[in-house]
Structures are given as structure tokens and as C-alpha cells.
Amino acid sequence: MSIYGQPRIVVIGGGTGLPVLLRGLKQYPVDITAIVTVADDGGSSGRLREDLHIPPPGDIRNVLASLSDVEPLVEEMFQHRFKTSNELSGHSLGNLILAAMTSITGNFVHAIQEMSKILNVHGKVLPAANQSVVLHAEMEDGTIVSGESKIPYSGKKIKKVFMTPENIRPLPETLQAIRQADLIIIGPGSLYTSILPNLLVPRIGDELCRSHAKKVYICNLMTQAGETHGYTASDHVKAIYDHMSCAFINTILVNNEEIPQDIQLRYNEELADPVQYDLPRLSELGLEVVHADIAFQENGALRHDPKKVAKILYNLLLIETKKRYET
């Protein structure tokens, strides 16, 4: 429990799935810490990372916006992306503000803290590391592809991912948040390029293995070309375990409703299919399987329903905290 008597939730991930989940969770009386990947090297984030030698701000920006409590116009301004014919083109204003704040404070984490105050953020947002990292993938044929944005387009099957430099350090606040958590949520997000880059930061994986908190993995709704083509739910879990020193997940949350045919056809064009939850293999892994209708459509894309998922997670948290007090 936090000093305010609220249960502590740590959410680990990145990409588009994490902000969606956080918008649902912030409606509950919980103390949220979001641990966000810093492996992004594409788009506006990649350009700022290369030009200014700072960690990529894009995933952090989206999480800050999702946890913010400001007027809609202020959030819209923070998320605004310039569409011009000059060097501003493609940059979001929030990325530029985070870059400026990093320059002013001299520290990316301090910049996030100051922006959290300005945006009245519910909870704490922490980068997995206070430095840029480079994600690499070793393919099944032995070749190495470097760069988070390049990995899904290699046309080869991923064997494992790893990061450089070798001396990556996690934030003490990140490790403390994991130690104090009542519930730890992994995902949703791209398996190899959003989830694993967090878990591969030295000591974060070790803390997860030692943690007594309930750990829930939110499985993706669809497979992803270049990363998880043909993967079942248990394949996702096994890939995580192949990169870790322990089997640490207690519960997996999966979608059990049929994806509408028109949506499937659209995703088929991207070589993506609904993730099948293979109950026997998940049970063999010792996982509690929670299945529910947790998908919804947004602008033609399939997302986790933030309200439904948050309600399920909060109920799991209540059950877990009740067990602890009874013992």
C-alpha cells in the first residue's frame, strides 16, 4: 500500500497499448507507476534522440498524456503533430517540450517529473533507463538486425533480442516501485520491441522474479508481422521466459470473443491474425487464465477496451490484497 492507503500498481510496456490501458486504470483509487521503454528509434523520437542525444520521448509523451488531468485542448496541444514542409514536420509538440525540458533540467527523468506536474499526471511515469538504448534482434538464421524500428521489417523470424550498451542502469525509483507493488502488469504492447526492452534492462528482470506481487500479462489481441506471426498466447509467454531467469507471470488476460470479419480482413492485409489462447499449454505453464470480451474498435484499429480491462485488473487486485490481509 502507498502512504495514501491506495494499492500500488506497476505497469510495464510501451507503444500504443500502454496509454490505452492507463486511461482506464486512472479511474480507480490506485497508485500507478508506469515503466516505459526507451528503445524507440523511429519517427520524431528517433530524430530527437539522434540530434539531441536524449532518450526517445514518444512513448513517454503518450503515457503522460494518458495519465494527465488537464483541459482537453491542452492535451490535444501536447499531442499535436506538425505537418509542414520544414524540419518541424512529423514532430509532436510534446516531444519537443520534453526535449526542451531535458535541456533545461539537464536530465531526462527530471524533465518527465516537471512535465508530470504541469500536466497534473495521476501517478508516476518512469523510463526503463535514463539513457538511450539500442535494441538488437538475433534472427533464427544468425543474422543481427539493429534498431527497434527496423526489426519488424527484416523479413526473418526473431530468435532473441538484446540491448546495448552493456552498462545500462535502471532507475532506483523503478526498482523500488517493483518491490513495493501489489500488482504488476506486463503489456499490452509489441512483444519484442515494446515489452522485452523493459524486462532486459539489468536488475528489472531480477526484481520481477523476486517480487511477491501478483503479475499479470495482458496478451495482445492480434499477432504482429515481423514479430509474432503465428504466435499463440503461450508462445508470447514462452518468448518472455526465454529472455528471463525465471517464470514469473501468475495470470494471463486474453480476449475470448470473435474478432469481426471486416476487422480480420483488414488486419490480414498486414499479415496479422487474432491471437489464439491455447488453454492446455497455458495451464502447463502454471498460469491462471482470465478470458473475457476485452476488444473494441477505434478508428478502424483493434484496441483493448480500457474500461473492461481496468475493471478486471482492479478486481484481481482486490482479491490479491484481501488474500494478503487474511494471511
Side-chain angles (χ1 to χ4, degrees), residues 69-78:
D69 184 13
V70 290
E71 291 295 327
L73 186 60
V74 175
E75 182 182 341
E76 185 178 350
M77 179 182 68
F78 186 67

Side-chain angles (χ1 to χ4, degrees), residues 56-327:
D59 283 352
I60 294 285
R61 182 197 83 242
N62 286 327
V63 169
L64 287 170
S66 69
L67 289 173
S68 68
D69 184 13
V70 290
E71 291 295 327
L73 186 60
V74 175
E75 182 182 341
E76 185 178 350
M77 179 182 68
F78 186 67
Q79 292 284 59
H80 176 73
R81 193 173 295 276
F82 293 98
K83 297 176 182 177
T84 63
S85 57
N86 56 31
E87 62 272 11
L88 274 178
S89 181
H91 280 306
S92 76
L93 181 60
N95 284 359
L96 296 175
I97 293 173
L98 279 167
M101 195 70 79
T102 302
S103 178
I104 292 167
T105 64
N107 186 290
F108 187 55
V109 173
H110 292 164
I112 296 168
Q113 291 169 344
E114 293 304 315
M115 282 309 306
S116 295
K117 296 174 187 175
I118 294 169
L119 294 172
N120 194 23
V121 165
H122 287 270
K124 187 180 293 184
V125 180
L126 299 171
N130 194 18
Q131 65 189 100
S132 291
V133 300
V134 180
L135 185 68
H136 311 269
E138 179 185 341
M139 302 300 174
E140 287 200 333
D141 66 358
T143 58
I144 304 294
V145 177
S146 298
E148 180 267 346
S149 61
K150 300 179 181 65
I151 291 170
Y153 300 100
S154 68
K156 300 176 180 180
K157 189 172 181 179
I158 299 170
K159 180 180 179 182
K160 68 175 182 178
V161 290
F162 61 97
M163 297 194 301
T164 55
E166 292 183 0
N167 61 340
I168 302 168
R169 293 183 178 180
L171 296 171
E173 301 97 311
T174 299
L175 302 179
Q176 183 180 18
I178 293 172
R179 291 186 199 116
Q180 295 177 340
D182 298 295
L183 181 71
I184 297 174
I185 302 163
I186 314 294
S190 299
L191 177 63
Y192 288 103
T193 54
S194 291
I195 303 299
L196 282 167
N198 292 290
L199 307 184
L200 291 175
V201 172
R203 295 183 63 193
I204 286 183
D206 293 337
E207 289 295 341
L208 286 172
C209 289
R210 283 195 289 265
S211 169
H212 296 294
K214 189 180 190 71
K215 300 165 203 77
V216 181
Y217 174 57
I218 302 178
C219 192
N220 291 341
L221 302 169
M222 307 292 290
T223 62
Q224 188 173 352
E227 287 202 41
T228 55
H229 182 66
Y231 275 36
T232 63
S234 69
D235 290 329
H236 284 73
V237 175
K238 188 176 183 302
I240 292 173
Y241 287 174
D242 286 345
H243 289 77
M244 300 285 286
S245 61
C246 71
F248 67 95
I249 298 170
N250 306 115
T251 302
I252 183 169
L253 176 57
V254 294
N255 179 55
N256 69 349
E257 286 296 311
E258 189 76 20
I259 304 298
Q261 195 65 32
D262 59 324
I263 296 294
Q264 285 199 46
L265 289 173
R266 195 182 75 76
Y267 274 92
N268 285 345
E269 296 175 2
E270 303 173 11
L271 301 179
D273 299 296
V275 174
Q276 302 300 318
Y277 73 97
D278 42 346
L279 193 55
R281 288 186 65 193
L282 291 170
S283 298
E284 287 174 10
L285 291 169
L287 295 173
E288 171 193 19
V289 181
V290 177
H291 45 85
D293 174 12
I294 54 173
F296 85 115
Q297 299 178 44
E298 184 180 56
N299 300 323
L302 202 64
R303 306 286 188 211
H304 285 85
D305 188 308
K307 292 183 179 178
K308 291 181 179 179
V309 174
K311 184 177 181 180
I312 291 169
L313 293 171
Y314 187 66
N315 286 335
L316 287 173
L317 176 62
L318 292 180
I319 293 169
E320 193 64 19
T321 50
K322 183 180 179 182
K323 284 180 184 177
R324 289 193 188 185
Y325 283 116
E326 287 178 347
T327 55

